[in-house]
Amino acid sequence: MKRYLILEDGTVFPGEGFGSSIITTGQLVISNNRTGIEQSVTDPDTEGQILAFTIPSVGNSGINRDFYESINSQCKGVVIGSSSLSTVDGSISFENWITGLRIPGIKNVDVRALAKHIAEHGEMKASIMDTHDEHAMDQIKALVLPPDLVKRVSTRQSYPNPNMGLKIVIVDLGLKYSILRQLSYRDCNSIIVNYNSTAEEIENLHPDGIIYSNGPGNPTDLPNTIKTIQTLQKRYPILGIGLGNLLIALANDCRIIRLKEPHHESSLAVKEVASGKIDFVNHNHSYTLDEKYIGGSDFIVTNVCVADGTIEGIRHEYLPIMCVLFEPEAAPGPTDGYYVFDEFIDLVESVKKQEGVRNQWN
Amino acid sequence: MELDDVHTILIIGPTSSDKNVDLSTALYDTVDILHQLGYKTSIIVEDPTLLLSSGVFYDKTIVEKVTGDNVLKFVQKYHPDAILPTVGDRNALGIVSSLNGKIGGTKVLGASFSASLATFKRELFIKKLTKANLPVIKFISSDDETEIYSFIRSIGFPIIARRRYSNRHSSGWTNINNLFELDNFMATEDVSDTKIEIERSIRGFSEYSFTILRDRYDNSSLIGTIEDIEPIGIHHLDSNLISPAISLNDSKLQRLRNYSIKLARAFNIVGICTVHFAYNHTTKESYITEFIPRLSEETKFLEYATSYPIATAVVELCLGYHLDKLQLDAGNHFNGATEPFVDHLTSRFPQWKTPGQKYLGPSKTSDSSIVVNGFSLEEVLNKGALNDKLNNNFDRYNELRKLDDDELFEKIIHPTNWLLDVLSEALRRKFEMPVLSEITGVNIPYLTALQNIINNSLIIREGEIDGKNVERMVEMGVKGVGHSKLLLDSPDIVTKTVVKNKRAVSVANNEYINHNYFVTSGISNELELSDRKKFVVRTPIITSKTDIMIRQFVLFQLAKSIDQNGLEPIIIGREPWNAPLSMRRKVVEIDDPHMEMKSLNLIKQENVIKIIDLSKNLVDTEDNRGFQFSAQEIKNIELQGDTTLRVMVVSDGTNYLAPSVIYRGKRDNHMYEISSVNNFMTAEDRAEVAELITHELEDDTEVDIFNFEMVKSNGHWLVTKKYRGMTNDIIRHELASSVHVIDTLVKLLLGNKIEEGLSLEKVFDNFDEKYLLTIDDKRYKLLDKDEIQAKLKELRLKENKKATN
Amino acid sequence: MAKEIIDGQTMTRALTRITYEIIERNKGIDDLVLVGIKTRGVYVAHRIESRLKQLENISIPVAELDITPYRDDQTHEETDLSSIKAEPLDIDINNKHVILTDDVLYTGRTIRAAMDALMSVGRPKKISLAVLVDRGHRELPIRADFVGKNIPTSQKEKIKVSMKEIDGEDKIEIE
């Protein structure tokens, strides 16, 4: 069935509908991920978003159900160019999978032209509809995107991911399961808590370290979480990922800016400032840190994007806080960033050891 | 940053085999950047025409057989700081591995001794990979039963086995899938002194190749991935290739990526490394089958598919540059630390010179290839392998239709180069897809794509073309007969036929402009042309390697000349032309397999000055701007002689120049050819030849190129052949002569005139310093003036034999 | 047979982590001086220096200290430490915070010799120790402030550190 992707500015892209036939509206995000559509579609970061994938022949590789990044999909719609009706490994086809998730999709769209348009005019709202008349335009213009994205995706109830190693509390701002996979691999005994948990609630769990996870939306919408960070960061080693990184920066008088060209790409080079080592990692963020404010803060820049110089990682000079803006858990993308978790574990362990030494000597 | 002890470099050139046409652009780019960065470069090469240039970049050009001995001789005489084997095909790696310990302080760039050796020695390859914990097909060769059974237990079925006899012969491989078959194999008569060789069977596995770049500081990036439509067992370059590898999901892709990087690290390969994998999608097993630590046909394809300037990057990495701080040319920064993301598919379809069916196997049989772009599998299949104009698929279709099911089945079991047509026919007869996939090893999505195409072209045959069908078909790349135009004119918002830029998202640095387009479907046209007046060059599809070399050369010289004369070169071809990097940023290339550009009317006609057509027959005879470039035979007298001259003439319609004359002498069963002999012609010869030319050109009043062949008979020259346009000699004329015929032609086409009343000296003028001697069309020597005059004298002494009919 | 226990990447990472820890525990790195114990300790020092430079944009001085003949991990013979004549350092260490760097920390005798040598040429404000590998078996009350990797070893085993600058590649092997 012929359907239309209509952008906020009135641009219309024709295509063919698949998946759910409802009318949908959301923030349109262009994803240059090469693989792992399963991961992108189930990534809580995509709450409220219509995802447009620019890869050709979507779905050829099959749908891997081990790749889910959350139980349900949060994304509002999927836009693709060509799709493959069958899969190389005999798994469910992409279109059937999207139908099963009850997400509306539109295919045979000129995603190249769409990506170019967004690159020129910036990220905007969009809608998948059956017609492209004026009424449809009015509808999309009238729509206001909800600001409480994190609230929608964060776990309401705390839950454990038990193991025998270090005790890590993860503040769920839109947690991807692959972060838990990485922690499980390192024997971490984790507890996942709601984004609005108070410092006291978290302290009562007696963590060895805290992770502020990735998540959707604008970090300035989360003042409570920022306040909690200000209390906790003096006492615990902290790792911030994505949105978590932005919140930690805001908690320490840094500023954030919106990227002119947002990073939504599964393999983009990041350079470790100290050693010059280049890693290819998954990026999924529209904000970054304002360099002007880093100099005056207690942070040092540890990672930058090679292509555009965007800050991709910071570290506190004397508190055990490390942050990355990219997604070290990959999923999808190259696994070059896994070391960030090793570094965090090292950091937590060295803090523990120092405390141990201190206790001994005191 | 760079290796500071390397200033002089010896390049091991390609051997003069047909295969190496693909390396000519890579070689040119490599030397171009070395020259710009201030290195002194020498080269050993068998066939100087592969250089694509008249040698301005080289400090020394040694025309010799490319062998270890000759490389060693050079090293001992000139002591270069380093040897670069990456542009010299497989032979160069062989040479490098033989030089171990013999070249003193001279460095080997790119592939190390051990890496080079491991590309030849299977045992070393397996040992090194096993040590690095990389998946390699386990292999055993033993006469001890216990050892053999314990090995089989460790790898499980299926396996392949054979006996190797003491006389170094061996039986063919036997497939063994279960205990029963194993017992049968082991029970066959056992000759003493026989070893049994066993390997894990990877029959039917899918084949992938990953190419990575790596710098000295251990930074690696995955430049591109390729998948074969045909399974392992059919030579990679005889298979239909798709880039990027779309059938790998995230974990598979990352696993193979990590293996590739680990392999390059294990061999400490700096520069480029292509790793081949066998992958089984059912069991998720993967094995590394080979690695290629140099530039190759594949890297050329990837360079085209991804727009990443691979050849330029590789030599810089070899010289110690950081991956993120490369130079496109002196002063132009390029961030090489990207993993190119392409939003389209690029496909390479092998081509055979002769139309018949050929059985395919592990050795390469194809003669050339065609590269196409598109946004879906259907589109690239239709533009490439199933493009009737290129592959005569309609004939194939008719022939296959005559077969009965059993005969067709035989074709399915024993794959030929018609495999895709055979599969289409099988699908049309409703053979089951899973069965076809199982037998042929072609993955189901490809079969589905074929099915899709069948479904839609059926509609076409029955003539039910409505607006909707056309739209769908345009998306699938089924075009021609003006459908595209129909869509372009459609008032509704539908997908239209447009021209898209072929580029990778991550390589879209501002410094790196690439005007490389292809005709496809979409809603926006990306063709961006400058205000400059244009020369359009149309190129036909070519399957012979010699012709490809010529096209490569001619297009390069044409584009360069058009650009230097202040015009914009637009090259439109059935298949893309991979221009050298320096030209790629100036020329507009449009890949147009269905030849639709004309009907799309996207290039303003008033801006086009000339249309240079390289095909044998003019596509468009009405347009008087057309200029046919390829040779048309005007005259041919069957007269043979032992001494002949070949003269290239450019004429403005009134006056002409003859800047290149090749002398050819058949002496003692050898054929000697000397270039630019016009510098040594006697005044009488000149006058005689000039008179003949003037006479022949009496009726030709347009700008044109002519080629004459003259035979010496009874002490006089006779014109035996006359061609209008360019013959195969063009490269030799251009390379050997310091006067550029192609550039002169472009200038004349622009309306310039040859000076009136030139002296004969001027007509035959040429200021060459080096002369090319060709022996028997395959051995080349580069000689200086004195040497060549001595040789010419020797040949002329025996000149006065009679010409014979 | 030598067995690789740490590869180049892990080594690179360990050095980066040591650098972060040095920054973390020294508010301001202005008065730092790195002193590398020859041979591989010097490369460790240089690598830390280049990382600090990248991160903080401050170049800190690096000096070399040669006490090779007295390395304990090569010989267990009694040596007369008082006979060590340290080469004069080409930088002033008075009132500086000296970070001694070495590749392997074993008995501690090398470090002691190095400290003696340092004291004989100046009066540092403080001496810290950074090592790539701590393999245990201390014979002196010496503790490293910054450790790349702790590797439990038997005294029979040998630890071999290779570094790109001198050995062509980065790795740590045990044999």
Side-chain angles (χ1 to χ4, degrees), chain B residues 348-380:
Chain B
R348 179 190 191 276
F349 295 93
Q351 287 280 302
W352 284 262
K353 256 184 258 177
T354 45
Q357 290 184 68
K358 280 162 204 75
Y359 286 105
L360 300 183
S363 343
K364 188 185 163 200
T365 61
S366 58
D367 302 300
S368 66
S369 62
I370 293 173
V371 174
V372 292
N373 298 290
F375 285 100
S376 66
L377 279 180
E378 289 87 352
E379 184 176 352
V380 290

Short mmCIF file of all heavy atoms in Angstrom, two decimals, chain B residues 348-380:
data_model
loop_
_atom_site.label_atom_id
_atom_site.label_comp_id
_atom_site.label_asym_id
_atom_site.label_seq_id
_atom_site.Cartn_x
_atom_site.Cartn_y
_atom_site.Cartn_z
N ARG B 348 30.13 -6.77 -8.62
CA ARG B 348 31.11 -7.06 -9.67
C ARG B 348 30.71 -8.39 -10.29
O ARG B 348 30.61 -9.40 -9.61
CB ARG B 348 32.49 -7.18 -9.05
CG ARG B 348 33.61 -7.50 -10.02
CD ARG B 348 34.87 -7.83 -9.23
NE ARG B 348 36.06 -7.92 -10.06
CZ ARG B 348 36.42 -9.02 -10.72
NH1 ARG B 348 35.68 -10.11 -10.65
NH2 ARG B 348 37.52 -9.04 -11.43
N PHE B 349 30.43 -8.34 -11.58
CA PHE B 349 30.02 -9.54 -12.28
C PHE B 349 31.11 -9.95 -13.25
O PHE B 349 31.54 -9.14 -14.05
CB PHE B 349 28.70 -9.29 -13.03
CG PHE B 349 27.57 -9.02 -12.09
CD1 PHE B 349 27.25 -7.72 -11.75
CD2 PHE B 349 26.87 -10.06 -11.53
CE1 PHE B 349 26.22 -7.46 -10.85
CE2 PHE B 349 25.85 -9.80 -10.64
CZ PHE B 349 25.52 -8.51 -10.30
N PRO B 350 31.54 -11.19 -13.18
CA PRO B 350 32.62 -11.62 -14.07
C PRO B 350 32.12 -11.72 -15.51
O PRO B 350 30.93 -11.93 -15.75
CB PRO B 350 33.01 -12.99 -13.53
CG PRO B 350 31.80 -13.49 -12.82
CD PRO B 350 31.10 -12.29 -12.30
N GLN B 351 33.03 -11.56 -16.45
CA GLN B 351 32.69 -11.64 -17.86
C GLN B 351 33.64 -12.59 -18.57
O GLN B 351 34.81 -12.67 -18.23
CB GLN B 351 32.84 -10.25 -18.50
CG GLN B 351 31.75 -9.29 -18.11
CD GLN B 351 30.49 -9.52 -18.92
OE1 GLN B 351 30.50 -9.45 -20.14
NE2 GLN B 351 29.41 -9.82 -18.23
N TRP B 352 33.08 -13.29 -19.53
CA TRP B 352 33.90 -14.18 -20.34
C TRP B 352 33.86 -13.69 -21.78
O TRP B 352 32.83 -13.19 -22.24
CB TRP B 352 33.37 -15.61 -20.26
CG TRP B 352 33.71 -16.28 -18.97
CD1 TRP B 352 34.74 -17.14 -18.76
CD2 TRP B 352 33.03 -16.16 -17.71
NE1 TRP B 352 34.74 -17.56 -17.44
CE2 TRP B 352 33.72 -16.98 -16.78
CE3 TRP B 352 31.93 -15.42 -17.26
CZ2 TRP B 352 33.32 -17.09 -15.44
CZ3 TRP B 352 31.54 -15.53 -15.94
CH2 TRP B 352 32.24 -16.36 -15.05
N LYS B 353 34.99 -13.86 -22.47
CA LYS B 353 35.09 -13.36 -23.83
C LYS B 353 34.11 -14.08 -24.76
O LYS B 353 33.51 -13.49 -25.62
CB LYS B 353 36.52 -13.57 -24.36
CG LYS B 353 37.34 -12.30 -24.40
CD LYS B 353 38.70 -12.58 -25.02
CE LYS B 353 39.76 -12.70 -23.94
NZ LYS B 353 41.08 -13.03 -24.45
N THR B 354 34.01 -15.41 -24.55
CA THR B 354 33.16 -16.20 -25.43
C THR B 354 31.83 -16.50 -24.75
O THR B 354 31.77 -16.63 -23.53
CB THR B 354 33.86 -17.52 -25.78
OG1 THR B 354 34.41 -18.05 -24.58
CG2 THR B 354 34.98 -17.28 -26.78
N PRO B 355 30.76 -16.61 -25.52
CA PRO B 355 29.43 -16.69 -24.93
C PRO B 355 29.05 -18.05 -24.31
O PRO B 355 28.13 -18.10 -23.52
CB PRO B 355 28.50 -16.36 -26.10
CG PRO B 355 29.29 -16.68 -27.32
CD PRO B 355 30.71 -16.49 -26.99
N GLY B 356 29.71 -19.13 -24.66
CA GLY B 356 29.26 -20.44 -24.19
C GLY B 356 29.29 -20.60 -22.68
O GLY B 356 29.77 -19.74 -21.95
N GLN B 357 28.74 -21.74 -22.24
CA GLN B 357 28.76 -22.01 -20.80
C GLN B 357 30.11 -22.57 -20.39
O GLN B 357 30.71 -23.33 -21.12
CB GLN B 357 27.71 -23.06 -20.45
CG GLN B 357 26.31 -22.55 -20.59
CD GLN B 357 25.32 -23.59 -20.14
OE1 GLN B 357 25.24 -23.92 -18.98
NE2 GLN B 357 24.58 -24.12 -21.08
N LYS B 358 30.55 -22.18 -19.20
CA LYS B 358 31.81 -22.72 -18.70
C LYS B 358 31.61 -23.23 -17.28
O LYS B 358 31.01 -22.56 -16.47
CB LYS B 358 32.87 -21.62 -18.68
CG LYS B 358 33.46 -21.41 -20.04
CD LYS B 358 34.17 -20.10 -20.18
CE LYS B 358 34.22 -19.68 -21.62
NZ LYS B 358 32.93 -19.19 -22.12
N TYR B 359 32.13 -24.44 -17.04
CA TYR B 359 32.05 -24.95 -15.68
C TYR B 359 32.99 -24.17 -14.80
O TYR B 359 34.09 -23.82 -15.19
CB TYR B 359 32.40 -26.45 -15.65
CG TYR B 359 31.29 -27.28 -16.21
CD1 TYR B 359 31.36 -27.84 -17.47
CD2 TYR B 359 30.11 -27.44 -15.47
CE1 TYR B 359 30.32 -28.57 -18.00
CE2 TYR B 359 29.05 -28.18 -15.99
CZ TYR B 359 29.15 -28.73 -17.25
OH TYR B 359 28.11 -29.44 -17.76
N LEU B 360 32.53 -23.88 -13.59
CA LEU B 360 33.34 -23.07 -12.69
C LEU B 360 33.93 -23.93 -11.58
O LEU B 360 33.31 -24.89 -11.14
CB LEU B 360 32.49 -21.97 -12.06
CG LEU B 360 31.85 -21.00 -13.04
CD1 LEU B 360 31.12 -19.92 -12.27
CD2 LEU B 360 32.90 -20.37 -13.94
N GLY B 361 35.10 -23.57 -11.16
CA GLY B 361 35.75 -24.29 -10.08
C GLY B 361 36.71 -23.38 -9.35
O GLY B 361 36.58 -22.16 -9.41
N PRO B 362 37.67 -23.98 -8.67
CA PRO B 362 38.56 -23.17 -7.85
C PRO B 362 39.57 -22.34 -8.64
O PRO B 362 40.20 -21.46 -8.08
CB PRO B 362 39.31 -24.21 -7.00
CG PRO B 362 38.74 -25.54 -7.34
CD PRO B 362 37.90 -25.41 -8.54
N SER B 363 39.75 -22.60 -9.95
CA SER B 363 40.68 -21.74 -10.68
C SER B 363 39.90 -20.73 -11.50
O SER B 363 38.83 -21.02 -12.02
CB SER B 363 41.57 -22.54 -11.63
OG SER B 363 41.55 -23.88 -11.31
N LYS B 364 40.49 -19.56 -11.63
CA LYS B 364 39.81 -18.46 -12.29
C LYS B 364 39.78 -18.66 -13.80
O LYS B 364 40.77 -19.04 -14.41
CB LYS B 364 40.55 -17.17 -11.96
CG LYS B 364 39.82 -15.94 -12.42
CD LYS B 364 40.65 -14.70 -12.19
CE LYS B 364 40.08 -13.59 -13.04
NZ LYS B 364 41.01 -12.51 -13.26
N THR B 365 38.62 -18.43 -14.41
CA THR B 365 38.51 -18.55 -15.86
C THR B 365 38.01 -17.27 -16.51
O THR B 365 38.12 -17.10 -17.71
CB THR B 365 37.53 -19.68 -16.26
OG1 THR B 365 36.24 -19.35 -15.73
CG2 THR B 365 37.96 -21.02 -15.71
N SER B 366 37.45 -16.37 -15.75
CA SER B 366 36.83 -15.19 -16.35
C SER B 366 37.88 -14.25 -16.93
O SER B 366 39.03 -14.26 -16.50
CB SER B 366 35.98 -14.45 -15.32
OG SER B 366 36.77 -14.07 -14.22
N ASP B 367 37.47 -13.46 -17.90
CA ASP B 367 38.41 -12.59 -18.59
C ASP B 367 38.37 -11.16 -18.09
O ASP B 367 39.33 -10.43 -18.17
CB ASP B 367 38.10 -12.58 -20.09
CG ASP B 367 38.17 -13.98 -20.66
OD1 ASP B 367 39.25 -14.58 -20.57
OD2 ASP B 367 37.14 -14.48 -21.15
N SER B 368 37.22 -10.74 -17.61
CA SER B 368 37.13 -9.38 -17.11
C SER B 368 35.89 -9.28 -16.24
O SER B 368 35.30 -10.29 -15.89
CB SER B 368 37.05 -8.38 -18.26
OG SER B 368 35.84 -8.58 -18.96
N SER B 369 35.50 -8.07 -15.93
CA SER B 369 34.35 -7.94 -15.04
C SER B 369 33.61 -6.65 -15.34
O SER B 369 34.14 -5.75 -15.97
CB SER B 369 34.81 -7.93 -13.60
OG SER B 369 35.65 -6.83 -13.39
N ILE B 370 32.38 -6.61 -14.86
CA ILE B 370 31.58 -5.40 -14.99
C ILE B 370 31.15 -5.00 -13.60
O ILE B 370 30.80 -5.84 -12.78
CB ILE B 370 30.34 -5.66 -15.85
CG1 ILE B 370 30.77 -5.95 -17.28
CG2 ILE B 370 29.38 -4.48 -15.82
CD1 ILE B 370 29.66 -6.38 -18.17
N VAL B 371 31.21 -3.72 -13.32
CA VAL B 371 30.82 -3.24 -12.01
C VAL B 371 29.58 -2.37 -12.15
O VAL B 371 29.49 -1.55 -13.05
CB VAL B 371 31.97 -2.45 -11.37
CG1 VAL B 371 31.54 -1.82 -10.07
CG2 VAL B 371 33.17 -3.37 -11.13
N VAL B 372 28.59 -2.61 -11.30
CA VAL B 372 27.37 -1.79 -11.33
C VAL B 372 26.97 -1.39 -9.92
O VAL B 372 27.38 -2.01 -8.96
CB VAL B 372 26.18 -2.54 -11.99
CG1 VAL B 372 26.42 -2.75 -13.46
CG2 VAL B 372 25.91 -3.84 -11.28
N ASN B 373 26.16 -0.36 -9.82
CA ASN B 373 25.67 0.11 -8.53
C ASN B 373 24.16 0.11 -8.52
O ASN B 373 23.52 0.25 -9.56
CB ASN B 373 26.10 1.55 -8.30
CG ASN B 373 27.59 1.67 -8.25
OD1 ASN B 373 28.23 1.21 -7.32
ND2 ASN B 373 28.16 2.27 -9.28
N GLY B 374 23.60 -0.01 -7.32
CA GLY B 374 22.16 0.08 -7.20
C GLY B 374 21.78 0.10 -5.74
O GLY B 374 22.64 0.01 -4.86
N PHE B 375 20.48 0.21 -5.48
CA PHE B 375 20.03 0.27 -4.10
C PHE B 375 19.40 -1.02 -3.62
O PHE B 375 19.02 -1.14 -2.47
CB PHE B 375 19.08 1.46 -3.89
CG PHE B 375 19.81 2.77 -3.86
CD1 PHE B 375 19.84 3.59 -4.97
CD2 PHE B 375 20.48 3.16 -2.72
CE1 PHE B 375 20.53 4.79 -4.94
CE2 PHE B 375 21.18 4.36 -2.67
CZ PHE B 375 21.20 5.18 -3.79
N SER B 376 19.20 -1.98 -4.52
CA SER B 376 18.64 -3.25 -4.08
C SER B 376 19.31 -4.37 -4.85
O SER B 376 19.93 -4.15 -5.88
CB SER B 376 17.13 -3.28 -4.31
OG SER B 376 16.87 -3.24 -5.70
N LEU B 377 19.15 -5.59 -4.32
CA LEU B 377 19.72 -6.75 -5.01
C LEU B 377 19.16 -6.87 -6.41
O LEU B 377 19.87 -7.12 -7.37
CB LEU B 377 19.39 -8.02 -4.23
CG LEU B 377 20.28 -8.33 -3.04
CD1 LEU B 377 19.81 -9.62 -2.38
CD2 LEU B 377 21.72 -8.47 -3.50
N GLU B 378 17.84 -6.67 -6.52
CA GLU B 378 17.20 -6.79 -7.82
C GLU B 378 17.82 -5.81 -8.81
O GLU B 378 18.09 -6.15 -9.95
CB GLU B 378 15.69 -6.52 -7.71
CG GLU B 378 14.89 -7.60 -7.01
CD GLU B 378 14.84 -7.43 -5.50
OE1 GLU B 378 15.56 -6.55 -4.98
OE2 GLU B 378 14.09 -8.16 -4.82
N GLU B 379 18.05 -4.60 -8.33
CA GLU B 379 18.58 -3.58 -9.23
C GLU B 379 19.97 -3.96 -9.74
O GLU B 379 20.25 -3.88 -10.94
CB GLU B 379 18.61 -2.22 -8.52
CG GLU B 379 19.08 -1.10 -9.45
CD GLU B 379 19.05 0.28 -8.81
OE1 GLU B 379 18.53 0.42 -7.69
OE2 GLU B 379 19.56 1.22 -9.43
N VAL B 380 20.87 -4.39 -8.83
CA VAL B 380 22.22 -4.70 -9.32
C VAL B 380 22.22 -5.97 -10.17
O VAL B 380 23.00 -6.07 -11.12
CB VAL B 380 23.26 -4.80 -8.17
CG1 VAL B 380 23.53 -3.45 -7.57
CG2 VAL B 380 22.87 -5.80 -7.13
#
